[in-house]
Amino acid sequence: MPVIRVLLADDQALVRAGFRALVESEDDLEVVGEASDGLAALELARRHRPAVVLMDIRMPRLDGIEATRRIATEPGLADVRILILTTFETDEYVFEALRAGASGFLVKDTEPAALLRAIRVVAAGDALLSPGVTRRLIEEFAAHVPTPRRVPGLDVLTDREREVMTLVAAGLSNDEIADRLVLSPATAKTHVSRLMGKLDARDRAQVVVLAYESGLVKPGHAPRPAED
């Protein structure tokens, strides 16, 4: 089983120690570095190329949002996924982190098993982490956008890709999209990959943000998964 390399970024040493102990208790997870601020997180991401960064938002020198943005826009770090750790799930900063390129978020008091599962889900990239919570957060802030913004690449999506985009926005995984549209899982995955490429979206979470901000999906009108 491939080992998932994890970078910890939090300004509290005790918090990092707790995360390290939890992550390294699993055979398929490995901590490759610790950062106490955003600049150090960026430097360590460049050095170690982790699969997942556990990123706190409020840190000195460079906050987690800007560190996320810099990692997300650096070509050499395209495969690095960022999992935001926050105190409040409705925090506006969490929404900004998702816009900046974060793959998902968790509150800091989440259960240990949920954190470990989140790392694996984000590393795999085939499903949106906590789809119901993520969608509600994005809906809440997108509802305050007065007019839809133009999203480059949206106009070149095929009808099928637009349909798939609405299902990604609903939080469906690739397998669930395949079931909903009566496609093979491989075909569904191809559609998701192509629309992400056309939108220049590095992650499913960004696809959800773009779906709402463009007006393709209206707050409260996304198709719902069978269980949410």
Side-chain angles (χ1 to χ4, degrees):
M1 181 181 296
V3 174
I4 299 172
R5 295 158 55 80
V6 180
L7 173 64
L8 308 176
D10 194 293
D11 62 343
Q12 298 182 48
L14 189 60
V15 171
R16 296 197 309 273
F19 285 143
R20 175 181 280 274
L22 177 63
V23 169
E24 293 195 332
S25 70
E26 301 293 302
D27 293 339
D28 63 327
L29 304 178
E30 173 190 11
V31 173
V32 296
E34 295 185 25
S36 59
D37 60 70
L39 278 179
L42 178 59
E43 293 165 2
L44 289 174
R46 289 168 174 162
R47 184 185 310 167
H48 296 295
R49 307 293 173 88
V52 178
V53 180
L54 296 184
M55 182 83 77
D56 188 24
I57 289 181
R58 295 165 180 83
M59 292 187 293
R61 292 212 297 167
L62 192 71
D63 65 35
I65 296 175
E66 184 58 29
T68 294
R69 183 175 290 109
R70 294 189 190 185
I71 290 173
T73 56
E74 190 160 317
L77 301 179
D79 293 331
V80 176
R81 297 291 173 257
I82 300 166
L83 180 56
I84 292 293
L85 300 170
T86 180
T87 305
F88 307 105
E89 67 181 26
T90 56
D91 195 330
E92 179 181 358
Y93 294 114
V94 178
F95 176 66
E96 290 302 323
L98 294 174
R99 291 183 73 184
S103 300
F105 65 95
L106 285 177
V107 290
K108 286 189 173 181
D109 62 355
T110 191
E111 292 294 322
L115 175 61
L116 296 172
R117 176 183 175 276
I119 293 172
R120 295 180 177 110
V121 169
V122 167
D126 291 336
L128 185 69
L129 180 64
S130 304
V133 177
T134 300
R135 189 186 61 245
R136 285 191 292 273
L137 172 78
I138 293 172
E139 283 186 346
E140 178 179 339
F141 289 99
H144 295 93
V145 177
T147 56
R149 73 180 183 91
R150 183 182 178 279
V151 173
L154 186 65
D155 56 344
V156 299
L157 295 183
T158 65
D159 290 342
R160 174 63 88 184
E161 287 166 349
R162 283 173 174 259
E163 186 177 18
V164 169
M165 187 175 178
T166 64
L167 296 178
V168 172
L172 273 67
S173 67
N174 288 350
D175 287 345
E176 290 169 332
I177 292 172
D179 289 342
R180 182 71 65 92
L181 299 181
V182 194
L183 304 170
S184 72
T187 300
K189 183 175 183 178
T190 297
H191 283 310
V192 173
S193 297
R194 285 178 177 169
L195 75 87
M196 288 175 64
K198 291 179 180 180
L199 297 173
D200 196 25
R202 76 191 306 267
D203 203 88
R204 300 176 85 90
Q206 280 195 310
V207 172
V208 182
V209 171
L210 294 174
Y212 282 97
E213 291 195 328
S214 67
L216 180 66
V217 177
K218 305 293 185 183
H221 292 86
R224 295 301 194 255
E227 296 183 6
D228 191 5

